[in-house]
């Protein structure tokens, strides 16, 4: 029983490695341009984190809507280069789902989604650390206190919301 589990785990690890190798090759074609939009939106979201949670009133819906909107766009733009590829050899430069190219390799959809969500997690946790630092520092400098709501606000907007949106995007992209 344990030997079967080890064999299954090794096969899943090999599948994830195949996907990562495919992504390295894919990223050589998309280059650094793929990180331009997530960078801009991350900067705007960190600027929003400079407004302390204590200063956001019940009528300031624009801050809440902007924060949630930017969170959704971050996961969208981080996943975009890994979900779709442009077929430049076709006559009309058509766009196709990358899983359609990987399905001929021994790769399961579960491992494909797991690797893609890992990319979002890797990007978002770094953004969360920076955003929480900005949120707590601005709260301390303006109000003199840092509450647990400052931390929960940052984690919700910077970590939980992008992960949920990224997960939904992967589930819809079938």
């Amino acid at each position: 029983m344990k030997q079967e589990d080890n064999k299954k785990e090794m096969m899943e690890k090999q599948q994830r490695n195949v996907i990562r190798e495919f992504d390295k090759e894919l990223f050589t074609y998309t280059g650094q341009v793929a990180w331009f939009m997530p960078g801009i939106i991350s900067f705007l979201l960190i600027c929003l984190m400079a407004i302390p949670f204590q200063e956001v009133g019940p009528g300031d819906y624009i801050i809440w809507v902007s924060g949630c909107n930017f969170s959704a766009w971050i996961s969208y733009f981080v996943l975009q280069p890994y979900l779709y590829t442009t077929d430049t050899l076709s006559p009309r430069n058509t766009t196709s789902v990358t899983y359609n190219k990987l399905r001929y390799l021994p790769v399961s959809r579960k491992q494909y989604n797991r690797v893609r969500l890992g990319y979002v997690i890797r990007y978002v946790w770094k953004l969360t650390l920076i955003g929480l630092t900005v949120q707590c520092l601005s709260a301390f400098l303006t109000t003199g206190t840092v509450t647990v709501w400052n931390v929960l606000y940052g984690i919700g907007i910077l970590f939980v919301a992008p992960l949920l949106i990224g997960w939904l995007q992967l589930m819809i992209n079938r």
Side-chain angles (χ1 to χ4, degrees):
M1 186 71 149
K2 187 172 179 155
Q3 193 174 30
E4 290 176 14
D5 290 339
N6 286 341
K7 190 180 281 188
K8 183 179 178 184
E9 186 177 316
M10 287 295 293
M11 193 165 57
E12 289 176 351
K13 187 174 182 178
Q14 287 173 344
Q15 289 180 5
R16 288 191 299 268
N17 288 336
V18 166
I19 294 169
R20 287 185 186 115
E21 287 298 318
F22 176 81
D23 290 341
K24 282 181 187 177
E25 186 71 25
L26 180 66
F27 196 75
T28 59
Y29 296 114
T30 59
Q32 298 299 323
V33 175
W35 296 105
F36 182 69
M37 285 305 292
I40 289 174
I41 293 175
S42 298
F43 176 75
L44 293 173
L45 197 53
I46 288 174
C47 290
L48 272 178
M49 286 291 122
I51 302 170
F53 180 77
Q54 294 92 332
E55 299 294 323
V56 179
D60 295 333
Y61 294 114
I62 189 70
I63 294 173
W64 295 105
V65 170
S66 298
C68 292
N69 192 11
F70 289 149
S71 295
W73 283 110
I74 283 177
S75 61
Y76 174 78
F77 282 119
V78 167
L79 284 174
Q80 193 64 25
Y82 298 111
L83 293 181
Y84 301 102
T85 59
T86 303
D87 298 328
T88 55
L89 297 178
S90 67
R92 290 180 281 159
N93 284 347
T94 59
T95 302
S96 63
V97 179
T98 57
Y99 185 73
N100 291 341
K101 299 205 179 290
L102 285 170
R103 69 178 172 200
Y104 300 110
L105 298 174
V107 173
S108 71
R109 185 71 179 195
K110 177 183 172 185
Q111 297 306 319
Y112 174 82
N113 288 344
R114 186 175 175 183
V115 170
R116 298 297 189 254
L117 199 57
Y119 295 148
V120 175
I121 290 171
R122 198 171 332 152
Y123 186 84
V124 169
W125 80 265
K126 294 172 189 175
L127 178 67
T128 303
L129 289 177
I130 295 168
L132 281 177
T133 303
V134 170
Q135 174 66 222
C136 293
L137 190 62
S138 67
F140 182 73
L141 292 175
T142 57
T143 64
T145 61
V146 176
T147 64
V148 77
W149 293 107
N150 294 104
V151 176
L152 291 176
Y153 171 65
I155 290 173
I157 295 291
L158 297 170
F159 192 76
V160 175
L163 280 183
L164 284 176
I165 298 295
W167 180 78
L168 283 173
Q169 186 179 359
L170 287 170
M171 292 300 118
I172 291 171
N173 185 30
R174 294 235 173 221

